[in-house]
Amino acid sequence: MSNDSIVIRRGQLGRWAGYAGAAGLLAGVVGGLWLGAVTPAIVALLAAGVLGMVAWAALNPREFTDFITGRQVRHATASVFSVFLLVSIVALMYTLVARSALTLDMTEARRFTLSQQTRDILQGVQRPIRITGFYASNAVQMREVDDQIIRLYEAESGGRITRQYINPDEEPALAQRFGAYSSGALFLSYLNPDGSVDFGTIARIPRQTDGAQEREITQAIARLLIAGTFKVYFETSLGTLDPLDTSQQGLSAVHLGMQESGLTTAALDLAGLAASGGVVPDDAAAIIIARPTVEPEAGVLALIDDY
């Protein structure tokens, strides 16, 4: 039986502490850049890195001083820290490029360049918007195709539009709250000041068979931007077509389409207003008098003229 024993010298232990400290600092810095926030885990990694460096300085002060001052150090130590430095540079560059959402369209048809109409609409985005996609594990290819278009909006808006992809199998409660009943469902919403989704503004982005295209996303953004801004009144006292009538003679399809486009609608009794001496509401962006069958009285015509 061998009686050989393992001897760990103080200098060697200090060197290992330095390696661990460098790894902790590297992981903390890269993790912080990737997440864009200082989380408890990031703080723990940075603290571990600092403690490792302090232990290196305490256990092997000469080597630590030589390393800091640039004097000759052991070859192994220099090699290890050179590897750490190289990994740090590569990781930081990859993180910054990934977070910058850099794009370059090399297609002849400019398939991955946003149109001028889309750019004009994006100029009106002031409140942060989130595009949320739900993709199951077997829909990775669909997600990658969608991401090629969606990331253009993030880049063009200067980060005012962001994207998030969620696996509905891993977060079924969240998928149900969005109404994501199929893989590949896309949604648009405003964000609250704390960065959470404003569920009162969620709207589904229609999907074509060839994926999420610019037209659908841009139209959804345009609808979100005008939501609640314009109010349209349907006149109801002159025998006009009913906006709630679902028959072939009704205007339910028009009414529903306006609401889906972000317009607020309401009924307006012009005859009643004229009889009571009222006026057309100030928030009326438009009044729809759809095929009236009753001759308007002078008071109704005066209301319309004043409006």
Side-chain angles (χ1 to χ4, degrees):
M1 180 178 298
S2 176
N3 293 325
D4 294 342
S5 59
I6 299 176
V7 178
I8 300 178
R9 295 181 173 85
R10 179 174 176 176
Q12 187 177 14
L13 187 60
R15 194 175 304 119
W16 289 348
Y19 297 158
L25 292 174
L26 169 62
V29 172
V30 174
L33 290 174
W34 182 261
L35 296 176
V38 180
T39 64
I42 298 300
V43 173
L45 286 172
L46 294 176
V50 172
L51 289 176
M53 290 299 179
V54 171
W56 181 24
L59 296 174
N60 196 339
R62 181 175 180 179
E63 186 176 271
F64 179 81
T65 302
D66 289 344
F67 184 84
I68 296 298
T69 58
R71 297 176 183 174
Q72 184 66 32
V73 297
R74 291 180 179 271
H75 180 71
T77 304
S79 298
V80 171
F81 277 96
S82 297
V83 171
F84 276 130
L85 181 60
L86 177 61
V87 171
S88 301
I89 294 174
V90 173
L92 289 174
M93 290 183 62
Y94 175 81
T95 301
L96 293 175
V97 170
R99 292 183 62 84
S100 298
L102 300 179
T103 57
L104 181 62
D105 190 353
M106 301 294 289
T107 61
E108 183 176 355
R110 310 299 292 173
R111 292 181 55 195
F112 303 107
T113 299
L114 296 179
S115 66
Q116 186 59 48
Q117 292 86 346
T118 294
R119 294 178 181 177
D120 292 340
I121 289 176
L122 294 182
Q123 292 298 317
V125 177
Q126 302 299 326
R127 182 179 174 186
I129 292 176
R130 169 71 52 78
I131 298 177
T132 305
F134 289 85
Y135 303 91
S137 301
N138 58 357
V140 176
Q141 185 175 2
M142 180 188 298
R143 185 190 67 191
E144 294 301 322
V145 172
D146 289 349
D147 185 64
Q148 293 177 14
I149 297 295
I150 296 174
R151 68 183 302 175
L152 298 178
Y153 287 83
E154 184 173 326
E156 185 65 33
S157 67
R160 293 188 298 274
I161 296 178
T162 56
R163 64 198 193 278
Q164 181 181 23
Y165 303 135
I166 300 171
N167 188 331
D169 297 330
E170 296 178 355
E171 300 188 50
L174 186 58
Q176 184 176 9
R177 188 171 185 185
F178 270 88
Y181 302 112
S182 60
S183 185
L186 286 171
F187 298 88
L188 194 74
S189 64
Y190 280 125
L191 295 180
N192 294 314
D194 61 357
S196 61
V197 172
D198 183 352
F199 284 92
T201 63
I202 289 179
R204 180 184 291 270
I205 300 176
R207 169 177 290 281
Q208 292 186 348
T209 56
D210 55 352
Q213 299 301 312
E214 179 184 354
R215 183 182 64 184
E216 284 72 27
I217 299 177
T218 299
Q219 288 180 349
I221 294 174
R223 290 193 294 269
L224 183 63
L225 292 179
I226 68 172
T229 303
F230 300 102
K231 191 169 186 177
V232 177
Y233 285 86
F234 285 86
E235 207 292 315
T236 60
S237 64
L238 301 177
T240 53
L241 297 180
D242 187 354
L244 301 180
D245 185 359
T246 58
S247 68
Q248 201 169 24
Q249 297 299 321
L251 292 179
S252 61
V254 175
H255 180 244
L256 180 61
M258 295 175 67
Q259 289 185 327
E260 290 180 347
S261 297
L263 299 176
T264 303
T265 60
L268 181 64
D269 182 358
L270 285 178
L273 284 177
S276 63
V279 296
V280 175
D282 293 335
D283 62 353
I287 302 174
I288 296 179
I289 306 176
R291 212 161 70 185
T293 58
V294 176
E295 187 71 22
E297 298 179 354
V300 172
L301 293 177
L303 281 177
I304 296 175
D305 287 340
D306 291 340
Y307 171 69

